[in-house]
Amino acid sequence: MSEISNQLENLSYKAQQIANEASQLASSVTETSGGHSDFIIFGITVLVLACFVGYYVVWSVTPALHSPLMGVTNAISSVIIVGALLAAGPVDSNISKYFGLVAVTLAAVNIFGGFVVTNRMLSMFKKKQ
Amino acid sequence: MSTLTTAAYLVSSVLFILSLRGLSHPSTARRGNFLGILGMAIAIVTTLSNPGVLSYKEIGIAFLIGGLIGTSIAVKIQMTALPQLVAAFHSLVGLAAVFVAASAYYNPSAFNIGAVGSIPMGSLIEMSIGTAIGAVTFTGSIIAFGKLQGFVSGNPLVFKGQHFINLLLGLGIIALIVKFCIDQNQELFWLIVFASFVIGVLLIVPIGGADMPVIVSMLNSYSGWAAAGIGFTLSNNLLIITGALVGSSGAILSYIMCKGMNRSFLNVLLGGFGGEQAASAGGVKDDRQAKQGNAADAAFMMKNSKTIIIVPGYGMAVAQAQHALREMGDLLKAAGAEVRYAIHPVAGRMPGHMNVLLAEANVPYDEVLELDEINRDFSETDVAFVIGANDVTNPAAKTDKTSAIYGMPILDVENAGQVFFVKRGMASGYAGVQNELFFRENTLMLFGDAKKVCEDIIKGLEN
């Protein structure tokens, strides 16, 4: 059983590599045809629209909750962990992977710290009895 | 990226937006925080299911270590130390951005951006900008943390040619980025990181302690832009959207803080405002005598008043006086007075700092009001009790055109029937300006530590 599962794992790893290479090829193809610059324009569109959303949402935050707002934004800016996970993902150990793992740790401190401290702050806000 | 992944990231983005939206009222805020956690969980699980992510064990360990550290700090931290905690957390986001970018540089195939030495130009630009912002956020936040915690002097550090050096460094970083995008040289990458570290330090050292609310918000904004920069490298909309949300949130908070001080953002950023230097330069000798009272007088007078407004400031946080203050307020309420709290936008060391401290002391949030909500009411109020605030109550801001704080919106405490001003000594406030309020007919100074004064008044009220 374990042998088969090992083989399966090997196979899936190889398939993974092939898929990676294929996607690299594909990306280099789209690169030459201007595929990436397409994402830049697309990404900037998203960025600008998100800035507008942020503008209106943040102005609607009550000033009394500006400290919790900083707590939450601090926690969600650690969504950078997405990049860290991708960096730490590959099996083979190299400098790139270690950088990724450090980034995962740093982002995790922030995610947990940010959400927990915000929750602590918010749980203290009470209405008049 | 598969359609499912993209959809899951979209769900995360929407949850983050809703999480900020929840903060529009204290009654929906906790749900908002929960939605944020949910969004983050979805983002992490989605990324883990990416076929390129295989080393679950190492990732799990790293995540667990980080999570434990973060949670234990967040559980233990004192609410008065919130500003430095937030600054410290910002530095971590910045550093994480640098590490992610470095990782992308050394192993671009994990991010689908070509191979080592042949990373496309667009990705290089995004990568280096993300790195630079992340590195500035890192060291800038460390200095801000040091100033708030007291490791680094809160006084502005100014020296000749400071802004020129910053400008030179800034241009140098741009030149390095251009060269890096052409050569893809690893020494250049680390030079960008190093130069950005240096400029991060230099940008924050000239800024005084009481300007920290602006700086903490600004660094909050930077950490968002760093995340957005990495989002471009990864072609990931979730990071771009979240980065933009955080970036605009921090920018708006800095704007609100600057407006609360009637100073331009550039003026704050150039630094050198406040601290001991300004205090000695602006400290014109004043021979006028302020009237001094004691806790027993204050207790007696407040017991017989109908309406009381308490104006807390950073001094209350330093003295940890919020609990004693709330107890005093409770006794006054029991004696039949209406007690409310007035918060100036820049009170404390971070936006909303005072509100959190009062909430910690169990003051209901509907008794805590903002400047525009309560400022008119001072003229119909018997007693204004100023504790730990100074510049934000100075009537000179409205009348004296030569004053450093002229034009700053202030709380009109001088309109109240009687003003009690709790203060350690006669020293001037952060702006180095003498407070006109001290010499008014209706002002009585209560000298002493904020907490001690409150406790003495409590004793007086109980007798």
Side-chain angles (χ1 to χ4, degrees), chain A residues 13 16 23-24 27 31 36 39-40 42-44 46-47 50-51 53-55 57-70 72-91 94-97 99-128, chain B residues 9 16 19-21 23-24 26 29-30 33 36-37 40 47 50-55 58-59 62-63 66-67 70-71 74-75 77 79 82 85 89-90 92-93 95 97 99-100 102-103 107 109 111-112 120 123 126 216-217 220 232 234-242 244-246 248-249 252-253 256 350-353 355-356 359-360 362 364-367 370:
Chain A
Y13 179 58
Q16 177 59 43
S23 70
Q24 257 175 50
S27 72
E31 205 51 57
H36 191 81
F39 182 81
I40 291 191
F42 178 58
I44 290 175
V46 172
L47 180 79
C51 282
V53 172
Y55 180 85
V57 170
V58 172
W59 273 114
S60 76
V61 172
T62 169
L65 293 181
H66 277 163
S67 285
L69 172 68
M70 296 197 85
V72 170
T73 50
N74 180 56
I76 66 172
S77 65
S78 312
V79 73
I80 206 160
I81 197 170
V82 167
L85 290 171
L86 291 177
V91 228
N94 53 34
I95 183 93
S96 174
K97 180 178 173 162
F99 284 158
L101 286 173
V102 174
V104 169
T105 314
L106 294 173
V109 173
N110 236 321
I111 292 172
F112 281 84
F115 282 127
V116 170
V117 85
T118 310
N119 194 50
R120 253 186 81 195
M121 282 189 247
L122 292 174
S123 63
M124 297 185 308
F125 280 85
K126 290 187 194 83
K127 220 178 148 65
K128 202 170 354 192
Chain B
Y9 283 150
F16 286 157
S19 129
L20 297 191
R21 177 78 195 139
L23 293 173
S24 57
R30 290 192 79 179
N33 195 39
I37 297 173
M40 187 59 79
T47 313
N50 181 303
V53 180
L54 297 164
S55 54
E58 288 110 312
I59 289 175
F63 190 72
T71 311
V75 168
I77 194 86
M79 283 298 145
L82 266 182
L85 176 77
F89 279 166
H90 288 154
L92 299 183
V93 182
L95 193 59
F99 274 112
V100 172
S103 175
N107 184 13
S109 59
F111 297 86
N112 279 331
S123 303
E126 296 149 7
V216 173
S217 315
N220 184 25
F232 275 97
L234 303 182
S235 300
N236 185 318
N237 281 332
L238 171 62
L239 263 67
I240 296 177
I241 295 172
T242 314
L245 287 177
V246 177
S248 44
S249 162
I252 290 173
L253 289 178
I256 295 174
M350 77 186 279
H353 193 188
N355 303 75
V356 172
E360 186 200 12
N362 281 322
Y365 61 76
D366 28 11
E367 288 176 10
E370 303 302 319

Side-chain angles (χ1 to χ4, degrees), chain B residues 178-198:
Chain B
V178 172
K179 188 111 176 44
F180 172 69
C181 291
I182 299 164
D183 295 358
Q184 310 208 6
N185 186 319
Q186 66 164 337
E187 280 82 32
L188 285 173
F189 179 85
W190 293 110
L191 261 177
I192 295 174
V193 173
F194 179 73
S196 307
F197 278 166
V198 175

Side-chain angles (χ1 to χ4, degrees), chain B residues 293-337:
Chain B
N294 61 39
D297 303 339
F300 178 76
M301 287 175 83
M302 286 202 280
K303 208 170 190 172
N304 293 311
S305 22
K306 290 265 175 304
T307 46
I308 296 165
I309 297 180
I310 296 170
V311 180
Y314 184 59
M316 178 193 84
V318 175
Q320 300 268 16
Q322 64 270 32
H323 298 280
L325 184 67
R326 195 261 309 149
E327 209 179 311
M328 185 191 93
D330 282 352
L331 286 171
L332 290 169
K333 274 194 272 182

